[in-house]
Amino acid sequence: MRSKIKIMNLLTSRTVMQKYMASDFESFCDVICNDEVMLHISGKGNSREVANEKYEAILKTNKENDFYGFYKVIFLETNAVIGFAKIVPFEEDSIEIGYALLAPFWRKGFTVELIVKMTTHCLKYFPNKKIMAIVNKENIASSKVLEKCNFNEYKQEEFKGSPCLYFEYLD
């Protein structure tokens, strides 16, 4: 029998990343159905129907795994959900980090905090895996913040129908 899942929150100086639970669907939709946010990820916001399908898979992943999964990002000052983050396996040798924030939180250092925290988490719990991120080729801001956090572009390739840049963390 599987032991009870640890609730592992990831705390930065201004945010906490908490795994999504069933009651968080609306805050998930606020991000993933948002055209402005998703423009930089998939080109447009998702429908609620697509969001619901993704959310069911997210809840399953979160339930089955202690050290990776999908997280809501909460701004500690207001307790509001301001985005999402993910730490998930990618291929055999890698862990992918990902993130999206609502527009009012762009260009304020939040993404750097999230990337640093997720990277530290991955180094601790997945020391033998490459830490990587995939960014839409047109998302110059995200590419720059990854480089600022010691990630280096290692290939360009289409991912889910979009031209993307692949970054890996360099110790």
Side-chain angles (χ1 to χ4, degrees):
M1 180 157 66
R2 192 172 194 294
S3 64
K4 184 174 173 135
I5 292 177
K6 296 177 187 179
I7 301 298
M8 183 165 297
N9 294 333
L10 305 176
L11 186 65
T12 74
S13 64
R14 298 182 290 171
T15 67
V16 62
M17 289 174 265
Q18 295 177 340
K19 281 193 173 181
Y20 281 111
M21 299 184 310
S23 60
D24 296 320
F25 180 71
E26 289 304 321
S27 64
F28 175 73
C29 273
D30 289 346
V31 178
I32 199 167
C33 297
N34 183 308
D35 284 332
E36 188 175 18
V37 172
M38 296 306 291
L39 171 69
H40 303 289
I41 297 172
S42 61
K44 66 176 184 169
N46 292 278
S47 68
R48 286 183 66 84
E49 181 180 54
V50 169
N52 190 54
E53 290 171 15
K54 290 180 183 225
Y55 202 66
E56 292 302 316
I58 283 170
L59 292 178
K60 184 176 188 294
T61 297
N62 284 356
K63 183 178 179 183
E64 294 174 352
N65 302 283
D66 291 342
F67 301 108
Y68 62 83
F70 296 83
Y71 303 81
K72 59 186 173 182
V73 178
I74 300 169
F75 183 35
L76 293 171
E77 187 176 301
T78 62
N79 208 33
V81 175
I82 64 168
F84 73 79
K86 68 177 180 177
I87 301 171
V88 294
F90 188 83
E91 298 175 343
E92 287 183 32
D93 65 339
S94 302
I95 297 291
E96 179 191 3
I97 64 167
Y99 45 85
L101 294 176
L102 296 171
F105 298 90
W106 295 351
R107 295 186 261 325
K108 295 183 177 164
F110 286 97
T111 306
V112 170
E113 288 181 30
L114 298 176
I115 292 169
V116 168
K117 186 61 176 184
M118 289 188 290
T119 301
T120 302
H121 175 84
C122 290
L123 290 170
K124 179 176 181 178
Y125 293 102
F126 310 105
N128 299 319
K129 302 274 187 181
K130 175 171 66 177
I131 305 165
M132 52 85 65
I134 303 171
V135 178
N136 186 296
K137 192 172 181 176
E138 295 178 13
N139 191 345
I140 295 166
S142 197
S143 294
K144 285 183 178 181
V145 77
L146 282 164
E147 289 169 351
K148 182 177 182 177
C149 294
N150 213 29
F151 280 74
N152 187 51
E153 180 188 330
Y154 68 95
K155 73 176 176 178
Q156 295 184 27
E157 188 174 279
E158 201 167 279
F159 183 75
K160 295 185 179 178
S162 298
C164 290
L165 305 175
Y166 287 63
F167 289 83
E168 67 181 320
Y169 178 73
L170 303 173
D171 278 326

